């Protein structure tokens, strides 16, 4: 009996990596949906009559409910109170529902005179734009809650094992979804309809929902084994239960605020930039629109190969704080060169995207396992949720800001079809400034690691 209890489900390398593959597919589908509309910005303006402000408003919708209705924080509390299976199923259902609404808004409400319940506008936006924003907001709640749930799943299934490598592989697989979204969006939209890429995302998310239900069966079995192991050891529970007092303990931890600030600043220079990157590549560097999305997705492609490599290095050698510092410094160089108006050779744009992909691999591979070192398992869901909540403030505010800046200060003409042409110098200066702040925070985090003994520079594998 004792020998059987020693061999848990996650002790099998094939089984724990198989479980990771199942939940990673769900996140792959989520990342595809998150990024697939970004390359379509110009088509949304020409085919559906959107403006840059409309696009910025829609893009910021991903984080709107998470920020202003605290949905992500509630999701973290639900995760720690009710577990990964319930929360994961809820999150995937929200993603499916939000994407379905987004698809309906871009098809059934696409006409300039479209009405819903007698309304042609809501809060100053056309009804189609607003409903797409609402659908993307619901999807954003599900995607972010799914993200923290999968992160806690990995912390549970890979505890004391290849934690950073597993997190790196999950991120890498998710980047496949991102890269696919950037690569296929314009060709699919040109070949069929502007909403066809979104419809494909809806189908993938339905597959992700099924995948998560399969994982839930495996996780239930693991929980029974953990409970049996705890009973043999004379413990009442294999893990300490979450208490709402833990929220205070999280908020007074300096490491939380430094990780959260680094997260919001770093990702605000990556994800919002990628939303505008396809148009930026076309306008400044003259890249063909059919491949501009592919080039804009190069950071995701780089992360696909490099994040597991860096994660494996951190597992064996450590140096997570130093790696976050290096990634932030690289981010400054990328955006600064993009901001230079006289550097407009297309090969430079591609090289910078590749460097951005390296930075995009370095920081996440170090950041997310670092949280698992700073906080106990019982607090991880809430800690990740609070960090993601702060991150979402940037993911809402920065694209909204960039859209307004483009409309108000950056229009330099119109093409033959009457679509605006933009100079992206000011937006790239904004991204450069934010990147400089991320480097400062990364430096402070490394100092805090030495002061408070978080052991971020130590290996993960014991």
């Amino acid at each position: 009996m004792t020998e059987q209890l020693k061999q848990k489900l996650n002790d099998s390398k094939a089984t724990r990596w198989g479980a990771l593959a199942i939940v990673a597919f769900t996140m792959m589908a989520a990342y595809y949906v998150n990024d697939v509309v970004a390359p379509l910005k110009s088509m949304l303006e020409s085919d559906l009559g959107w403006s840059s402000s409309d696009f910025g408003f829609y893009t910021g919708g991903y984080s709107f409910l998470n920020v202003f209705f605290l949905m992500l924080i509630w999701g973290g509390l639900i995760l720690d109170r009710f577990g990964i299976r319930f929360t994961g199923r809820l999150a995937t259902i929200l993603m499916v529902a939000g994407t379905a609404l987004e698809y309906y808004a871009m098809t059934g409400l696409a006409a300039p005179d479209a009405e819903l319940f007698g309304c042609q506008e809501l809060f100053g936006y056309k009804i189609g734009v607003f409903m797409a924003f609402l659908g993307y907001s619901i999807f954003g709640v599900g995607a972010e809650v799914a993200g923290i749930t999968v992160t806690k799943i990995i912390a549970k299934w890979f505890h004391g094992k290849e934690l950073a490598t597993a997190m790196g592989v999950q991120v890498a697989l998710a980047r496949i979804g991102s890269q696919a979204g950037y690569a296929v969006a314009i060709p699919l939209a040109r070949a069929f309809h502007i909403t066809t890429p979104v419809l494909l995302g809806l189908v993938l998310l339905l597959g992700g929902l099924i995948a998560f239900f399969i994982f839930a069966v495996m996780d239930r079995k693991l929980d029974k084994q953990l409970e049996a192991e705890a009973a043999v050891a004379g413990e009442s529970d294999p893990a300490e239960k979450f208490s709402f007092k833990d929220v205070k303990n999280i908020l007074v931890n300096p490491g939380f605020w430094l990780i959260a600030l680094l997260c919001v600043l770093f990702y605000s220079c990556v994800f919002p930039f990628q939303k505008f990157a396809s148009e930026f590549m076309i306008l400044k560097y003259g890249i063909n629109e059919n491949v501009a999305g592919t080039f804009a997705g190069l950071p995701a492609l780089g992360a696909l190969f490099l994040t597991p490599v860096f994660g494996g290095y951190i597992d064996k050698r450590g140096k997570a704080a130093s790696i976050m510092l290096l990634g932030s410094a690289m981010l400054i160089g990328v955006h600064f060169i993009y901001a230079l108006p006289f550097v407009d050779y297309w090969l430079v744009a591609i090289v910078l995207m590749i460097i951005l992909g390296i930075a995009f691999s370095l920081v996440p591979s170090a950041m997310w396992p670092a949280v698992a070192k700073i906080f106990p398992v019982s607090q991880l869901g809430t800690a990740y949720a609070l960090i993601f909540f702060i991150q979402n403030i940037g993911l809402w505010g920065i694209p909204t800001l960039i859209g307004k800046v483009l409309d108000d200060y950056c229009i330099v003409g119109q093409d033959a079809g009457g679509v605006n042409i933009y100079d992206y110098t000011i937006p790239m200066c904004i991204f450069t400034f934010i990147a400089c702040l991320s480097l400062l925070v990364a430096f402070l985090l490394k100092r805090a690691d030495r002061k408070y003994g978080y052991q971020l520079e130590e290996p993960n594998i014991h």
Side-chain angles (χ1 to χ4, degrees), residues 208-431:
L209 177 61
I210 295 170
F212 204 94
F213 272 80
I214 294 172
F215 165 78
V217 176
M218 300 174 64
D219 189 70
R220 186 177 291 107
K221 182 176 180 181
L222 176 61
D223 270 356
K224 290 179 180 179
Q225 292 175 334
L226 292 171
E227 290 167 5
E229 184 180 68
V232 169
E235 301 172 0
S236 60
D237 199 294
E240 180 187 357
K241 289 293 185 182
F242 170 81
S243 166
F244 282 100
K245 293 180 181 178
D246 290 337
V247 176
K248 177 183 176 182
N249 294 332
I250 293 170
L251 294 176
V252 298
N253 190 322
F256 162 78
W257 288 106
L258 291 171
I259 288 280
L261 286 173
L262 177 60
C263 178
V264 65
L265 293 169
F266 181 84
Y267 281 107
S268 290
C269 292
V270 179
F271 290 136
F273 166 66
Q274 284 188 290
K275 299 297 185 185
F276 296 89
S278 295
E279 183 178 69
F280 172 61
M281 293 281 175
I282 294 168
L283 294 179
K284 181 170 182 178
Y285 298 98
I287 293 173
N288 186 279
E289 69 169 17
N290 289 320
V291 295
T294 302
F295 289 146
L298 282 176
L301 185 62
L304 165 63
F305 298 106
L306 295 177
T307 307
V309 174
F310 295 141
Y313 178 88
I314 293 166
D315 276 333
K316 296 175 182 177
R317 302 293 180 87
K319 305 298 181 184
S322 299
I323 285 175
M324 286 185 269
L325 193 65
L326 174 61
S328 299
M330 293 171 68
L331 198 63
I332 296 174
V334 169
H335 287 305
F336 176 74
I337 297 174
Y338 273 141
L340 297 175
F342 53 83
V343 179
D344 56 2
Y345 184 49
W346 67 270
L347 187 58
V348 173
I350 306 308
V351 171
L352 290 176
M353 274 295 184
I354 293 171
I355 296 173
L356 180 59
I358 297 172
F360 194 31
S361 304
L362 284 167
V363 173
S365 67
M367 186 189 319
W368 301 124
V371 180
K373 282 189 171 183
I374 296 173
F375 302 101
V377 173
S378 63
Q379 298 176 5
L380 272 183
T382 302
Y384 279 123
L386 290 168
I387 291 169
F388 279 35
F389 166 74
I390 294 173
Q391 177 197 33
N392 271 252
I393 296 174
L395 299 185
W396 163 77
I398 298 303
T400 304
L401 170 66
I402 297 298
K404 292 293 291 183
V405 167
L406 284 171
D407 271 345
D408 292 347
Y409 304 104
C410 302
I411 297 175
V412 293
Q414 291 186 330
D415 63 15
V419 178
N420 290 333
I421 299 173
Y422 303 96
D423 178 352
Y424 268 84
T425 301
I426 296 177
M428 296 315 303
C429 288
I430 294 173
F431 285 126

Side-chain angles (χ1 to χ4, degrees), residues 46-318:
S46 60
D47 295 7
L48 302 187
W50 288 27
S51 65
S52 284
S53 295
D54 289 336
F55 183 78
F57 173 71
Y58 159 79
T59 300
Y62 177 88
S63 302
F64 182 82
L65 292 176
N66 289 328
V67 172
F68 292 101
F69 290 83
L70 307 180
M71 298 304 293
L72 185 50
I73 293 178
W74 289 115
L77 295 174
I78 290 171
L79 173 58
D80 281 334
R81 294 291 287 182
F82 298 102
I84 56 182
R85 295 189 296 275
F86 172 83
T87 311
R89 288 190 290 254
L90 176 62
T92 49
I93 290 170
L94 286 173
M95 287 193 289
V96 170
T99 305
L101 178 58
E102 188 180 341
Y103 175 72
Y104 168 70
M106 292 182 177
T107 51
L109 300 175
D113 57 349
E115 292 185 3
L116 184 66
F117 304 119
C119 295
Q120 287 189 326
E121 287 190 359
L122 276 174
F123 302 103
Y125 293 95
K126 290 177 291 187
I127 191 66
V129 173
F130 184 85
M131 295 308 293
F133 160 88
L134 180 59
Y136 198 35
S137 295
I138 295 170
F139 165 81
V141 174
E144 291 294 296
V145 173
I148 61 174
T149 302
V150 169
T151 304
K152 188 168 183 178
I153 287 170
I154 297 172
K156 173 183 178 180
W157 278 71
F158 287 84
H159 178 69
K161 299 179 176 67
E162 316 96 332
L163 178 59
T165 305
M167 288 190 175
V169 168
Q170 187 273 312
V171 170
L173 293 174
R175 302 305 181 220
I176 293 178
S178 290
Q179 176 63 16
Y182 283 109
V184 307
I186 292 178
L188 276 180
R190 292 292 187 203
F192 299 99
H193 188 270
I194 192 172
T195 56
T196 301
V198 180
L199 179 61
L200 176 58
L202 179 59
V203 174
L204 290 173
L205 280 176
L206 288 170
L209 177 61
I210 295 170
F212 204 94
F213 272 80
I214 294 172
F215 165 78
V217 176
M218 300 174 64
D219 189 70
R220 186 177 291 107
K221 182 176 180 181
L222 176 61
D223 270 356
K224 290 179 180 179
Q225 292 175 334
L226 292 171
E227 290 167 5
E229 184 180 68
V232 169
E235 301 172 0
S236 60
D237 199 294
E240 180 187 357
K241 289 293 185 182
F242 170 81
S243 166
F244 282 100
K245 293 180 181 178
D246 290 337
V247 176
K248 177 183 176 182
N249 294 332
I250 293 170
L251 294 176
V252 298
N253 190 322
F256 162 78
W257 288 106
L258 291 171
I259 288 280
L261 286 173
L262 177 60
C263 178
V264 65
L265 293 169
F266 181 84
Y267 281 107
S268 290
C269 292
V270 179
F271 290 136
F273 166 66
Q274 284 188 290
K275 299 297 185 185
F276 296 89
S278 295
E279 183 178 69
F280 172 61
M281 293 281 175
I282 294 168
L283 294 179
K284 181 170 182 178
Y285 298 98
I287 293 173
N288 186 279
E289 69 169 17
N290 289 320
V291 295
T294 302
F295 289 146
L298 282 176
L301 185 62
L304 165 63
F305 298 106
L306 295 177
T307 307
V309 174
F310 295 141
Y313 178 88
I314 293 166
D315 276 333
K316 296 175 182 177
R317 302 293 180 87

